[in-house]
Amino acid sequence: MSTDLNSPFRTKTVEQSIRDTEEPEHALRKSLSAWDLTVFGVGVIIGTGIFVLTGIAARNNAGPATALSFVAAGIVCALAALCYAEFASTVPVAGSAYTFSYASIGELPAWIIGWDLVLEFALGTAVVAVGWSGYIRNLMQTNLGWDMPVALSGPDAGGTFDLFAFLLVLVLTAILVVGTKLSARITAIVVAIKVTVVLLVIIAGVFFIKADNYSPFIPPAEPQPAGGGLHAPLVQVLFGYAPTNFGVMGIFTAASLVFFAFIGFDVVATAAEETKNPQRDMPRGILGSLLICTVLYVAVTLVVTGMQNYAQMSPSAPLAEAFKSVNQPFFAGAISLGASVGLITVCMILLLGQTRVFFAMSRDGLLPRVFSVTHPKYRTPYRATILLGVIIAVVAGFTSLEKLAELVNIGTLFAFVVVALGVIILRRTRPDLHRSFRTPLVPFIPILSMAASLWLMLNLPVDTWIRFGIWMVVGVVVYFVYGRRNSRLAKAGQDAKY
């Protein structure tokens, strides 16, 4: 932590961060409650993860014990959530991990994490939009007999341009420009539909469970080949560790996969500045949404692995296929419809998080200040929202993002590490700060959170690390070329000389 305003590790105090939110043309409207935040959290967490990853993890890694994998992944996220909750209630400013890092570690680390979050949320939004487009095309073809022209079906379907993904992002951009309260209401409706579908799976599926499908609950271990190359996990390349399918270690191998079903709860922290009572409501929203989703995930996994033998589960649509396997096509169709509707909120909230991080970086001068001006009526960062919305819509329309999607995961885990480190540093440097929520057992919990996140990062492929490294290097160059000179803290240091 540095007080030298010419140092790239200069910090922006919590008091400065809060004062910036009071500038009229750069202020966001406070309209969100604890309920809104919890709905946002559930809305973004329940998505492709539960509707897809359950089948892949059960079939390839853990069998019925995938339910325990969700518990393990949920614990990793809970450790990070405790750190996020302390920061979001202490520094209730837009920007999430970026803002927290600025107040604790310094400007350059804050820029790096902000640059990371821009990538994470942008690609996440585009990936989900492309996934949603696939669901919609499938529903149109299955139920209405309509086939989308190949040219407008996107690269993943052999076409050129994904029209549905493009239009979805543009529509959500317009909604976010109008205001977060409107987006919260839309999210609440869609989340209600999505949770209803999940509960439908649990309640209806219970009647089709066969006890034999749980035997063995933890299938015998099957070591994976050592392998290597750019597609191998980094932990395998560095330490020669070969992940295990099934067995006890298979549970943790699956946990590194199903962890991605929890990605998004940290987006709740980006809305801290738009929350009526962030000191009270942010911890409730973050921890509440994570708890609800973990319980639902475990219940769904136990039901579907009880309905269908894990070796026969579909890797693409496990929930719907489980009901088809017991001759229940109505429930299978309802689940597919719910999944397609549910992805809308995931896309919206990822886009919300993206624009808020960009807005916070712009307000600090690290990006052009023109993007931190809020709409005179709606009090939303409309310029940043429109710019990013159009860019992401184009990316979603023209790009196949299968490989780039892994960057979302490494970016999230990197943010977890930085936030946990920030909690430890701010406890030592600013013990005087009022903390309405305190992470328990500091520094033990933050250190455990960092270790767990780093372990999951090591399980990602080498080529993902390379792409992530290239993006980070580009970010550092942009900082030293533009951000360092135009930072508001830098200008404050220059003014102090005269």
Side-chain angles (χ1 to χ4, degrees):
M1 182 172 182
S2 175
T3 56
D4 179 4
L5 295 183
N6 294 313
S7 168
F9 292 93
R10 56 201 170 204
T11 54
K12 182 180 180 183
T13 66
V14 173
E15 291 79 7
Q16 284 176 301
S17 299
I18 295 175
R19 279 198 302 271
D20 287 347
T21 69
E22 298 168 356
E23 297 176 353
E25 66 173 355
H26 302 290
L28 299 172
R29 174 172 292 168
K30 297 182 181 295
S31 60
L32 301 177
S33 64
W35 171 253
D36 292 325
L37 294 172
T38 303
V39 169
F40 268 142
V42 174
V44 74
I45 296 171
I46 297 181
T48 51
I50 189 60
F51 293 117
V52 176
L53 293 181
T54 305
I56 298 174
R59 181 170 178 162
N60 299 333
N61 303 114
T66 299
L68 299 180
S69 301
F70 274 108
V71 173
I75 291 172
V76 173
C77 291
L79 293 172
L82 290 170
C83 299
Y84 269 90
E86 174 169 327
F87 256 131
S89 60
T90 306
V91 193
V93 179
S96 185
Y98 159 75
T99 302
F100 308 156
S101 302
Y102 212 157
S104 58
I105 304 174
E107 184 175 274
L108 178 57
W111 165 267
I112 290 173
I113 194 64
W115 189 252
D116 162 57
L117 291 174
V118 166
L119 175 73
E120 173 196 341
F121 292 148
L123 290 183
T125 304
V127 168
V128 173
V130 171
W132 175 84
S133 174
Y135 270 109
I136 292 300
R137 293 196 306 272
N138 181 265
L139 284 170
M140 286 173 52
Q141 198 281 328
T142 302
N143 298 301
L144 302 175
W146 296 349
D147 287 312
M148 191 73 177
V150 174
L152 299 178
S153 297
D156 288 329
T160 304
F161 182 71
D162 194 327
L163 180 63
F164 284 157
F166 176 80
L167 293 177
L168 174 66
V169 176
L170 289 186
V171 170
L172 296 181
T173 298
I175 292 172
L176 289 175
V177 166
V178 173
T180 52
K181 192 62 181 179
L182 173 61
S183 61
R185 289 170 180 163
I186 294 174
T187 300
I189 295 172
V190 178
V191 167
I193 296 172
K194 186 158 51 175
V195 172
T196 299
V197 170
V198 173
L199 292 176
L200 178 67
V201 172
I202 297 170
I203 296 171
V206 164
F207 296 99
F208 300 99
I209 289 176
K210 298 177 182 177
D212 290 346
N213 289 330
Y214 288 134
S215 181
F217 189 76
I218 303 179
E222 297 177 3
Q224 296 181 10
L230 294 179
H231 301 303
L234 184 61
V235 66
Q236 190 172 327
V237 174
L238 293 178
F239 307 110
Y241 167 77
T244 303
N245 284 335
F246 307 114
V248 174
M249 292 307 298
I251 294 173
F252 296 101
T253 301
S256 67
L257 173 66
V258 300
F259 162 80
F260 307 136
F262 290 92
I263 285 179
F265 80 85
D266 55 320
V267 180
V268 176
T270 66
E273 191 174 327
E274 295 160 273
T275 303
K276 296 176 184 176
N277 188 346
Q279 288 76 15
R280 181 195 66 190
D281 295 341
M282 287 305 303
R284 293 181 180 181
I286 293 172
L287 297 171
S289 59
L290 185 60
L291 176 62
I292 291 171
C293 292
T294 301
V295 171
L296 291 176
Y297 281 0
V298 172
V300 165
T301 305
L302 288 173
V303 168
V304 295
T305 53
M307 293 174 64
Q308 187 177 27
N309 185 276
Y310 71 88
Q312 300 172 350
M313 293 189 71
S314 165
S316 59
L319 275 60
E321 290 299 323
F323 277 95
K324 285 184 180 179
S325 71
V326 292
N327 299 315
Q328 296 294 322
F330 170 78
F331 291 115
I335 290 167
S336 296
L337 179 61
S340 61
V341 172
L343 290 180
I344 295 174
T345 57
V346 179
C347 197
M348 177 188 293
I349 300 167
L350 285 173
L351 183 58
L352 170 73
Q354 221 277 3
T355 58
R356 272 37 178 189
V357 173
F358 197 89
F359 167 80
M361 296 172 74
S362 170
R363 188 166 59 186
D364 290 332
L366 300 180
L367 291 171
R369 290 265 288 173
V370 66
F371 295 115
S372 62
V373 175
T374 55
H375 194 282
K377 178 180 179 181
Y378 303 122
R379 310 310 304 173
T380 57
Y382 69 107
R383 292 176 179 174
T385 302
I386 293 172
L387 171 70
L388 295 169
V390 171
I391 292 174
I392 294 171
V394 172
V395 170
F398 284 106
T399 310
S400 176
L401 297 172
E402 180 179 356
K403 269 297 177 188
L404 292 180
E406 291 175 338
L407 285 169
V408 179
N409 308 324
I410 196 170
T412 300
L413 290 164
F414 181 62
F416 287 3
V417 172
V418 173
V419 169
L421 178 62
V423 167
I424 297 174
I425 292 175
L426 204 61
R427 283 284 188 98
R428 293 179 63 87
T429 58
R430 292 297 306 274
D432 58 303
L433 281 178
H434 171 68
R435 294 169 170 83
S436 56
F437 179 89
R438 299 176 67 89
T439 304
L441 302 176
V442 173
F444 176 73
I445 292 295
I447 290 174
L448 193 58
S449 175
M450 286 189 286
S453 297
L454 285 170
W455 172 251
L456 293 183
M457 289 175 73
L458 288 172
N459 279 277
L460 291 170
V462 173
D463 54 0
T464 298
W465 279 87
I466 293 174
R467 292 188 184 98
F468 182 67
I470 292 172
W471 176 257
M472 289 293 105
V473 169
V474 172
V476 171
V477 171
V478 172
Y479 170 76
F480 281 103
V481 171
Y482 180 88
R484 186 179 183 186
R485 292 186 295 106
N486 292 278
S487 162
R488 295 181 71 184
L489 284 185
K491 293 181 177 179
Q494 293 169 2
D495 293 342
K497 295 179 180 179
Y498 301 100

